[in-house]
Amino acid sequence: MKIVAKKKLWKYLFWLGPFLIAVGLTVGLVSEQWGLIPLVFLITGIVISGLGIIWQSYETNWWKRRSTQAGTNALVATLAVLTILGLINFLGTRYHLRADLTEAQLFTLAPQSRELVRVLPQPVKVWVFDVNQNPQDRELLENYQHQSSKFKYEYIDPQARPGLAEKFGVKDYGEVYLESGDKRQLVQTVNENERLSEIRLTSRLQQLTNSTTAKAYLLQGHGERQLSPAKGAISQAVQALGDKSFTTSPLNLGETSKVPEDAAVVIVAGPKRGLFEGEVKALQEYLNRGGNLLLMIDPNTDPKLNSLLQEWGVRLDNRLAVDVSGGSVVGLGPAAPLVTEYGQHPITKDFGNGNSFYPIARPLEITSVPGVEATPLLRTKAYPNSWAESDLQSEKLEFNADKDLKGPLTLGVALSRKQTPKSASTPQPTPSPLPSPTTQSKASPTPSAPPASPAPSASPAPPASPTPSAPSSQTPTESRLVVLGNSEFTTDGLFQQQLNGDVFLNSVTWLSQQDQQPLSIRPKEPKNRRITLTTTQGNVLILSSLLLLPLIGFAIAVIIWWKRR
């Protein structure tokens, strides 16, 4: 009897363990302080519970039972599953991995947006003055915020915080502002029909964080592409330059005869007539003083730039680039080469195997020139998919080994050349004292002629020596040139297609030598997938879905029932 009573006492004593654990957890959670007292209760309760489990298993051979082994296996499996789920949730909070399966990557930031946010020089914040928080807009802002801790956003009710709304000059619900330091800028106004645009947000973010502006001049007067909206114009390209903090102006060298000093880059977009000799010389002088030039030359034109291009090792091929594999894909025929191969250059480094196409393009021939670094940007596919066609009048394009050139063809090239100012490279000798009138001659003395010795009575003067090529403040500059055998790809309508606009904008940005601006792929606008139906089409759709399809299903069911009957 005493042994049985002692066993029951130990049995009840071990129940003290769970009680002490519960007391420790209660004290810690209520006080929100896990000090000495709750830890003592927890440790004591765990020790007593452990001893109770060990004693109970020893007395009853609990571990040897089949039910115990099955239960233990189930417990271990359950703990393993919970551990795996816990690790997955932990990794999910630390690392963000998403897959965007939409065609235009609507839920993924463009490389340019990601790169811009990651290198933010100072904190920026987006203020959305709206009561309703649209999930799509929040998703976009969250994507920006995941790229950098310097990017924040906040939704504000203008009625609840009128002082802040007045500070930004808010006039209506849905206005979105961008703030960085003491700078504020309106991004756009969102509503039910217009959501927050990545293109606008990235453009405003770039303008706000980039304090410098560059001047881009577009040459006019030779049939170049129009700058205002019209057929074959490049108004979208000009607007995109403005979004990237460029100031654009037309330039007529026939009137000024010199490229302005504030020109960061000069753009020649598809001239149809040749430039005057003085205009070509003005462009050469501009390059020689460290300028930057973008030439987009179409086939069947002669801009009279051969003398300029020859200095850089570029020759314009008069043949037409043909691509029998890519033109049918974009719906423009074989005369629109589809380019998927790009050079290793800052302009095209992020393009991968993306698509860009160039309707009616001419190839370029590149030769090595000392001091000029050339990198091909755009290359077509190899023969027999592409070649340079010499017979431009033939309706049937066929390769002629005697006249045509096998692909791959180079449609664009980026070149750079160091320019050393003359004052820093050429030492200027100090002029010698003029000889006496009796010995002065009209003919210039030869360099080897010794200088006249001074009179014996005169004190010896230090010999005249050339001024040393002292470390001048004028450091060597770099001239940059990009030549593309096509300008059609930048026209309105084609500029927004695939990587066409990125080729143009990255070329201008690289030429302007604004290395702080990211050279990457721009955000894309989502495509309009709406289906517009006429009244007749709508009625047919209603009848077919509400009447025809149910009748077909009912008829099939009757046939199956009849056969099984």
Side-chain angles (χ1 to χ4, degrees):
M1 294 294 295
K2 292 182 179 181
I3 296 176
V4 175
K6 191 175 182 179
K7 290 183 178 181
K8 289 184 178 181
L9 179 61
W10 279 106
K11 182 177 180 180
Y12 292 125
L13 181 63
F14 287 132
W15 280 105
L16 185 62
F19 173 76
L20 294 177
I21 294 175
V23 171
L25 291 175
T26 304
V27 172
L29 293 174
V30 172
S31 63
E32 295 183 356
Q33 294 181 359
W34 298 92
L36 180 61
I37 295 177
L39 289 178
V40 168
F41 279 113
L42 287 173
I43 294 174
T44 305
I46 292 173
V47 170
I48 293 175
S49 299
L51 292 175
I53 293 174
I54 294 174
W55 180 81
Q56 185 70 22
S57 62
Y58 175 77
E59 289 290 329
T60 60
N61 291 327
W62 185 68
W63 288 108
K64 296 181 179 180
R65 296 177 183 177
R66 182 177 298 179
S67 60
T68 302
Q69 295 176 359
T72 303
N73 292 335
L75 179 61
V76 171
T78 303
L79 292 176
V81 171
L82 293 176
T83 303
I84 293 173
L85 292 177
L87 289 174
I88 292 174
N89 281 276
F90 172 75
L91 295 175
T93 57
R94 292 288 300 273
Y95 306 99
H96 301 278
L97 179 61
R98 305 173 60 194
D100 189 354
L101 303 180
T102 58
E103 178 185 3
Q105 298 293 292
L106 300 179
F107 302 102
T108 304
L109 291 182
Q112 185 188 45
S113 300
R114 296 198 300 267
E115 187 175 351
L116 180 63
V117 177
R118 287 171 183 171
V119 297
L120 284 174
Q122 56 185 353
V124 298
K125 188 171 184 178
V126 175
W127 299 87
V128 184
F129 291 90
D130 202 353
V131 179
N132 301 319
Q133 300 185 17
N134 183 271
Q136 181 178 338
D137 295 346
R138 285 186 61 91
E139 181 79 12
L140 178 61
L141 293 172
E142 286 287 344
N143 288 340
Y144 276 94
Q145 189 168 265
H146 289 159
Q147 306 303 320
S148 173
S149 59
K150 294 182 179 180
F151 186 95
K152 303 293 183 182
Y153 74 93
E154 185 176 352
Y155 277 84
I156 298 296
D157 183 0
Q159 297 294 334
R161 301 180 64 179
L164 186 61
E166 184 179 358
K167 175 183 176 181
F168 280 86
V170 177
K171 299 179 181 179
D172 196 3
Y173 282 97
E175 293 186 3
V176 182
Y177 285 86
L178 191 63
E179 182 182 33
S180 177
D182 57 350
K183 299 179 181 179
R184 302 181 188 90
Q185 190 173 16
L186 176 65
V187 178
Q188 68 177 106
T189 301
V190 296
N191 50 52
E192 294 181 357
N193 299 322
E194 183 177 2
R195 302 316 323 160
L196 187 59
S197 169
E198 181 187 352
I199 292 180
R200 295 186 184 181
L201 185 55
T202 297
S203 298
R204 299 297 182 270
L205 186 63
Q206 191 168 20
Q207 293 175 5
L208 197 66
T209 56
N210 183 22
S211 58
T212 60
T213 59
K215 193 65 175 290
Y217 286 92
L218 294 101
L219 192 65
Q220 298 287 286
H222 317 89
E224 289 88 354
R225 301 285 180 180
Q226 293 187 27
L227 309 183
S228 56
K231 184 179 180 180
I234 57 172
S235 63
Q236 292 180 347
V238 173
Q239 181 180 358
L241 287 175
D243 292 338
K244 290 182 69 67
S245 301
F246 283 93
T247 304
T248 57
S249 296
L251 174 64
N252 192 326
L253 289 176
E255 298 175 352
T256 61
S257 72
K258 183 181 179 181
V259 177
E261 295 291 337
D262 63 343
V265 58
V266 175
I267 302 172
V268 183
K272 294 182 174 61
R273 297 181 294 274
L275 279 66
F276 291 117
E277 184 178 350
E279 295 177 305
V280 178
K281 187 176 180 181
L283 293 177
Q284 289 175 314
E285 292 176 352
Y286 170 65
L287 288 173
N288 291 335
R289 67 173 191 257
N292 309 286
L293 182 62
L294 172 60
L295 298 177
M296 298 185 291
I297 311 300
D298 296 311
N300 297 324
T301 60
D302 184 11
K304 306 296 183 184
L305 292 170
N306 293 335
S307 59
L308 183 150
L309 294 174
Q310 187 176 3
E311 297 178 1
W312 294 77
V314 180
R315 189 183 73 84
L316 299 175
D317 197 313
N318 293 323
R319 288 170 286 198
L320 178 68
V322 174
D323 181 3
V324 296
S325 65
S328 58
V329 176
V330 298
L332 297 175
L338 182 68
V339 172
T340 58
E341 181 181 345
Y342 304 94
Q344 295 298 319
H345 191 271
I347 294 177
T348 54
K349 63 182 177 63
D350 291 330
F351 287 3
N353 58 350
N355 297 324
S356 61
F357 55 94
Y358 306 87
I360 316 298
R362 69 193 309 167
L364 307 175
E365 181 182 329
I366 314 300
T367 56
S368 178
V369 173
V372 176
E373 182 180 351
T375 304
L377 297 178
L378 313 171
R379 293 181 68 85
T380 65
K381 298 178 179 63
Y383 179 81
N385 290 324
S386 73
W387 69 86
E389 177 64 44
S390 58
D391 189 0
L392 306 183
Q393 305 300 326
S394 176
E395 296 181 359
K396 187 177 182 180
L397 299 175
E398 292 181 348
F399 178 76
N400 190 327
D402 297 334
K403 301 179 181 179
D404 300 339
L405 177 65
K406 292 183 178 181
L409 308 173
T410 300
L411 303 184
V413 62
L415 310 104
S416 60
R417 181 177 66 186
K418 297 293 183 181
Q419 301 289 347
T420 305
K422 294 181 180 180
S423 59
S425 61
T426 305
Q428 301 294 334
T430 304
S432 303
L434 292 174
S436 61
T438 56
T439 60
Q440 186 176 7
S441 173
K442 293 183 180 180
S444 302
T446 60
S448 60
S453 58
S457 58
S459 59
S465 60
T467 58
S469 56
S472 173
S473 59
Q474 293 180 322
T475 57
T477 59
E478 183 180 67
S479 298
R480 294 180 177 181
L481 173 67
V482 172
V483 184
L484 304 175
N486 178 259
S487 68
E488 183 77 18
F489 78 101
T490 61
T491 57
D492 296 350
L494 298 182
F495 179 80
Q496 299 288 357
Q497 299 295 322
Q498 301 297 326
L499 297 177
N500 287 9
D502 298 296
V503 172
F504 173 79
L505 291 176
N506 284 8
S507 297
V508 176
T509 305
W510 178 78
L511 285 170
S512 65
Q513 304 191 28
Q514 296 190 75
D515 297 332
Q516 72 277 9
Q517 289 202 28
L519 298 175
S520 189
I521 301 176
R522 302 170 299 124
K524 298 293 189 295
E525 288 283 9
K527 295 183 179 180
N528 187 0
R529 298 296 187 184
R530 299 176 183 174
I531 300 177
T532 304
L533 300 178
T534 62
T535 304
T536 303
Q537 292 173 334
N539 294 333
V540 171
L541 182 61
I542 293 174
L543 292 175
S544 61
S545 59
L546 298 181
L547 183 62
L548 184 60
L549 292 179
L551 287 177
I552 294 176
F554 180 74
I556 294 175
V558 171
I559 293 173
I560 294 175
W561 172 79
W562 182 262
K563 286 186 175 182
R564 290 184 176 181
R565 186 179 64 88

